[in-house]
């Protein structure tokens, strides 16, 4: 009976760690037409990332700069954000760069 209880307890703890990740604009370069989006995760977290929402945020930023839209430009990167006193990483920032697409069509004034 105890092994079953332990399995249920561990399953409950692991499922509680699956949390939605909040993606935000963390950088970019208007001249190069790049937008960087990122989110933070901690030890034992298994984030649910909505990259469709991220793409919408990147596209909105690009459109604000006069570009048409945005596309992912590579794979996400992972950087240590929080370390223990012993130097072990317990928190990370996950970032992905998006490339703005062609400048939006300009209407010609006549």
């Amino acid at each position: 009976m105890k092994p079953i209880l332990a399995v249920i307890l561990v399953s409950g703890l692991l499922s509680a760690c699956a949390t939605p990740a909040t993606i935000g604009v963390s950088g970019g370069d208007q001249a190069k037409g790049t937008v960087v989006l990122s989110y933070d995760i901690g030890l034992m977290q298994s984030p649910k990332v909505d990259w469709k929402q991220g793409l919408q945020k990147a596209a909105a930023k690009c459109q604000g700069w006069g570009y048409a839209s945005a596309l992912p430009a590579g794979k996400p990167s992972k950087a240590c954000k929080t370390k223990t006193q012993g130097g072990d990483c317990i928190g990370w920032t996950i970032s992905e760069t998006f490339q703005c697409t062609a400048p939006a069509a300009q209407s010609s004034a006549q």
Side-chain angles (χ1 to χ4, degrees):
M1 188 68 170
K2 285 186 180 183
I4 294 172
L5 183 59
V7 168
I8 292 171
L9 180 62
V10 169
S11 297
L13 289 173
L14 292 177
S15 66
C17 295
T19 58
T22 303
I23 303 171
V25 175
S26 60
D29 186 323
Q30 184 175 356
K32 292 180 182 178
T34 58
V35 176
V36 179
L37 300 181
S38 62
Y39 63 94
D40 295 329
I41 61 171
L43 190 63
M44 301 295 290
Q45 285 185 325
S46 179
K48 292 181 181 182
V49 182
D50 184 355
W51 284 111
K52 183 177 179 182
Q53 178 191 37
L55 180 58
Q56 290 171 346
K57 287 184 179 187
K61 185 71 169 177
C62 288
Q63 289 165 358
W65 289 340
Y67 292 93
S69 191
L71 295 171
K75 296 181 180 181
S77 63
K78 183 177 180 180
C80 186
K81 179 181 177 182
T82 309
K83 291 185 178 185
T84 64
Q85 289 180 346
D88 295 323
C89 193
I90 58 170
W92 297 266
T93 297
I94 311 298
S95 300
E96 183 163 356
T97 300
F98 289 78
Q99 180 67 54
C100 298
T101 59
Q106 300 290 322
S107 61
S108 58
Q110 293 185 15

